[in-house]
Amino acid sequence: MRRFEETAGQPRPGISDLLLTTRGRRSGLFRRTALAYVRDGEADGEDGAAYVLTASNAGADRHPAWYLNLAADPAVTLRVGAETFPATAHRATPAEADRLWPVVVAAMPSYAAYRAATAREIPLVLVTRTGRGRVT
């Protein structure tokens, strides 16, 4: 996350990264996680394009904590580049996932290996902006 701050939101050249802030499902505390993403322009048109996150947990047999947190409370905050804004998350429907997995794997080929490494279905999460206002 320090590298995210130091590079104005571009810590890994060629990879789109963002910071996701969720509310802990048990603690109620805010939790921030750096994640790679792709955009889904079909979600609401280009201006409302969703950020697609992959709950891969590097192919582990359990969901990552950030996914469990947003499943409990879908109101999240995203930081993309220098912009921070409120957003809402939802798990991709089966049709959305079928359409998006090739896009996700094209952007990050390691996700194909993560899918092969686990018996669990790795969720894709679509996150859309809920307002234009900046949050702190």
Side-chain angles (χ1 to χ4, degrees), residues 21-43:
T21 302
T22 59
R23 183 178 297 275
R25 65 194 178 285
R26 292 185 290 228
S27 70
L29 299 175
F30 289 105
R31 306 291 185 190
R32 191 168 53 169
T33 307
L35 298 167
Y37 71 91
V38 297
R39 293 296 302 265
D40 176 25
E42 290 186 32

Side-chain angles (χ1 to χ4, degrees), residues 79-100:
R79 176 160 178 205
V80 181
E83 186 178 14
T84 302
F85 52 89
T88 302
H90 77 272
R91 184 175 179 155
T93 65
E96 288 170 328
D98 286 346
R99 178 175 56 80
L100 290 169

Side-chain angles (χ1 to χ4, degrees), residues 51-96:
Y51 296 87
V52 180
L53 309 177
T54 307
S56 68
N57 207 13
D61 288 330
R62 66 184 189 291
H63 294 307
W66 66 262
Y67 174 77
L68 298 173
N69 289 342
L70 68 78
D73 182 356
V76 300
T77 300
L78 290 186
R79 176 160 178 205
V80 181
E83 186 178 14
T84 302
F85 52 89
T88 302
H90 77 272
R91 184 175 179 155
T93 65
E96 288 170 328

